[in-house]
Every structure is written in C-alpha cells, then in structure tokens.
C-alpha cells in the first residue's frame, strides 16, 4: 500500500509567526499563550454558525494547532481595495463581533489588554491587516490569525482595521494600491457599513491617537524579546506608527468632517 504523502507548504504573508504551513486542506500553526482562549473562541464561532473564520480541527503530534485552510487570497489586490470590498469587510467584522456575543469576556488568558479605556463589549480580532483576511475577488470570506484577539470595544477593533484598510497611514508607508485613496471617505464608508453609532464616531479619532501611543510602546517592549516583533521593529514599524500619528494630526479636520 502506498501512503499519500502530504507536503508541508510554507505560508508567507504573516509578520510574526514562524512555521505556518499548509498540509492538504489544513493549516498548522505553532501555539502561543493565548491559544487555549483562541481555540475556545473558534469553537464558539463554529457553534453559533459564524462562517467567516477557519474551523479548529485540533492539535497535531508536533503540538501545532490544526485549522481548516480557507481558499482565497490574503493581502491587498485590486479587488480587495475597492469601496465595495471595504463595505463587505465592515460587514464581516460586524458579523464577527455580533457572533462573539455570548462568549464570556472574563476567564480566558488573551494576548494583551483591551487598549481602549472604555469597558470591553466583544471579543475583538485586533489585528485585521490585509494579510489576515481571505478574499475571493472583492468578497472577504474569512478572518484568520486570531493570536491577538481579546476582549475590547467594537470601536477599538474598527480603529485597528481602519489603520490598515482606510488606511490611517502616511502615504509614504501605504501599499501602492492604497496610496492615492481618500482615507477619510473610506473611514466614513466603513463606519456606515459597520453601523457605528454617532457617539462612537466622535470617539474614533481620539481612540486612534491613544492606540498609536500604546501600539508604539507595546511593539517596542515586544521587540526587546526578539523573534518576529524584533524583525518588525528593525524594519521600521515604530517609525511608521509615528508617521501615521503625524498624518492623522495633519488631516484631523478632514477625517472629522466625514464622521459628523
Ligand atoms: N486558515 C487559513 N486559510 C488560508 N490561508 C491561511 C490560513 N492561515 C494562514 N494562512 C496564510 O498564511 C499567512 C500567515 O498566517 P497567519 O496565521 O496570519 O500567521 P502570522 O502570525 O505569521 O501572521 C496568512 O497571511 C495567509 O496567507
Ligand atoms: Mg497574520
């Protein structure tokens, strides 16, 4: 009998986790200290029928988590940067937050704290970068990479997502496909599609500022531990945060006008 050999195909695109591989219809990822919490969350999402996340299959003999491979494309493409794609992404994030209702906000060990001073409302993904969303054409079908998920506010996750997708970034740091977009208009589009109430919109710019300050300090501290974070820091992650904060200061009135 000839056994089928399933090859390990390294998956690129992530910044942080070394050793993410595809084997057949599954992805294997090293576990981290938040994995028990993330696994409980993935099981909850499956139980409530949320389709926009991989399913947890288990843990393999090497101690890696096994999740389902979601066919599609991660990263920015001409299709995923359209306004319609952004509206759908807002809908997917809204659906994810709503699906976490009923998942306990206390009692699990997550990676990091809320980072918003308002009381946590949902489990946020907290890292919805282009590499952490799988698209088919202009349709985002799944969020992946829940390593930074944790209890937080809806607005904090919205701000984090807009940091990457509006994007709230200096044009010199933007992906070419997003360099010339009207970021303020895209912030508005996302908030509308998410259904963000006006009192939350008024808090968006101050929270983005708070987040920049805290992300900077958090990244600097983690970079000192080495590994992927140190690589990101050496690659200028801190300077990009500073430039993004300066861009927001310069364009505050413009962005604000879209939010009122
Ligand atoms: N379940 C999955 N389905 C499809 N692609 C995946 C899946 N998990 C990871 N990938 C691919 O592998 C890349 C890196 O995996 P990710 O889980 O985001 O790890 P990292 O912590 O390195 O960012 C992703 O950007 C994506 O392209
Ligand atoms: Mg990732």
């Amino acid at each position: 009998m000839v056994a089928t050999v399933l090859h390990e195909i390294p998956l690129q695109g992530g910044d942080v986790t070394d050793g993410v591989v595809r084997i057949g219809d599954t992805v294997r990822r090293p576990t981290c200290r938040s994995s028990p919490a993330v696994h409980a969350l993935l099981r909850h999402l499956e139980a409530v029928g949320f389709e926009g996340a991989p399913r947890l299959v288990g843990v393999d003999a090497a101690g890696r988590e096994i999740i389902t491979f979601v066919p599609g494309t991660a990263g920015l493409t001409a299709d995923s940067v359209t306004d319609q794609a952004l509206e759908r992404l807002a809908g997917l994030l809204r659906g994810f937050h709503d699906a976490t209702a009923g998942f306990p906000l206390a009692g699990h060990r997550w990676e990091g704290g809320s980072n918003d001073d308002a009381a946590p409302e949902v489990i946020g993904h907290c890292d919805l970068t282009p590499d952490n969303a799988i698209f088919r054409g202009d349709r985002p079908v799944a969020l992946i990479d829940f390593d930074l998920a944790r209890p937080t506010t809806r607005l904090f996750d919205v701000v984090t997502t807009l940091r990457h997708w509006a994007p709230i970034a200096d044009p010199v740091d933007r992906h070419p496909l997003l360099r010339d977009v009207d970021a303020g208009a895209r912030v508005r589009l996302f908030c509308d599609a998410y259904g963000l109430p006006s009192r939350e919109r008024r808090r968006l710019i101050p929270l983005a500022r708070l987040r920049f300050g805290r992300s900077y300090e958090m990244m600097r501290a983690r970079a000192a531990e080495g590994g992927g974070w140190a690589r990101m820091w050496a690659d200028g992650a801190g300077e990009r945060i500073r430039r993004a904060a300066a861009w927001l200061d310069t364009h505050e009135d413009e962005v604000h006008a879209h939010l009122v």
Side-chain angles (χ1 to χ4, degrees):
M1 200 176 103
V2 181
T4 312
V5 177
L6 289 174
H7 294 286
E8 300 205 353
I9 304 165
L11 291 172
Q12 251 98 54
D15 286 316
V16 172
T17 314
D18 293 323
V20 180
V21 298
R22 175 179 178 183
I23 303 182
D25 293 335
T26 70
V27 170
R28 315 289 170 113
R29 307 175 79 254
T31 50
C32 59
R33 50 185 177 177
S34 62
S35 295
V38 170
H39 292 175
L41 176 66
L42 292 178
R43 280 193 294 267
H44 169 86
L45 294 174
E46 180 170 12
V48 301
F50 177 70
E51 298 286 342
R55 298 299 181 221
L56 179 71
V57 179
V59 175
D60 71 11
R64 299 175 298 187
E65 68 183 21
I66 312 173
I67 52 175
T68 54
F69 178 82
V70 182
T73 312
L76 296 175
T77 65
D79 283 336
S80 70
V81 299
T82 64
D83 286 353
Q84 189 166 42
L86 187 70
E87 284 176 328
R88 288 175 170 162
L89 188 68
L92 182 60
L93 187 66
R94 174 70 194 242
F96 166 66
H97 288 160
D98 291 350
T100 72
F103 190 87
L105 292 178
H108 283 99
R109 182 176 175 167
W110 303 95
E111 188 64 58
S114 158
N115 266 358
D116 185 353
D117 293 334
E121 305 160 326
V122 294
I123 308 296
H125 180 283
C126 299
D127 194 23
L128 187 38
T129 62
D131 283 335
N132 288 339
I134 304 287
F135 278 79
R136 293 188 202 129
D138 63 1
R139 194 171 291 278
V141 292
L143 314 179
I144 57 167
D145 189 358
F146 290 80
D147 286 356
L148 297 184
R150 56 190 186 259
T152 187
T153 59
R154 291 172 179 269
L155 185 63
F156 180 80
D157 219 10
V158 166
V159 166
T160 299
T161 305
L162 287 171
R163 160 84 173 104
H164 304 287
W165 287 93
I168 303 176
D170 188 300
V172 300
D173 294 317
R174 294 184 191 175
H175 186 283
L177 287 168
L178 287 171
R179 192 155 290 148
D180 300 322
V181 297
D182 182 343
R186 282 169 63 85
V187 167
R188 165 69 176 266
L189 200 71
F190 191 94
C191 292
D192 286 350
Y194 182 93
L196 200 71
S198 33
R199 62 169 191 285
E200 294 294 282
R201 293 181 198 224
R202 286 193 293 274
R203 225 162 64 76
L204 193 148
I205 293 173
L207 183 57
R209 279 214 178 87
L210 182 73
R211 184 184 171 281
F212 280 136
R214 291 184 177 172
S215 306
Y216 187 88
E217 280 169 26
M218 185 275 285
M219 280 204 180
R220 186 175 54 192
R222 291 206 177 153
E225 297 167 16
W229 293 100
R231 280 202 298 277
M232 282 166 69
W233 191 257
D235 184 44
E239 286 139 47
R240 284 192 291 278
I241 293 173
R242 288 203 180 282
R243 280 193 294 270
W247 180 88
L248 186 61
D249 287 343
T250 309
H251 296 85
E252 161 153 10
D253 291 350
E254 226 172 288
V255 177
H256 178 79
H258 282 286
L259 288 169
V260 289

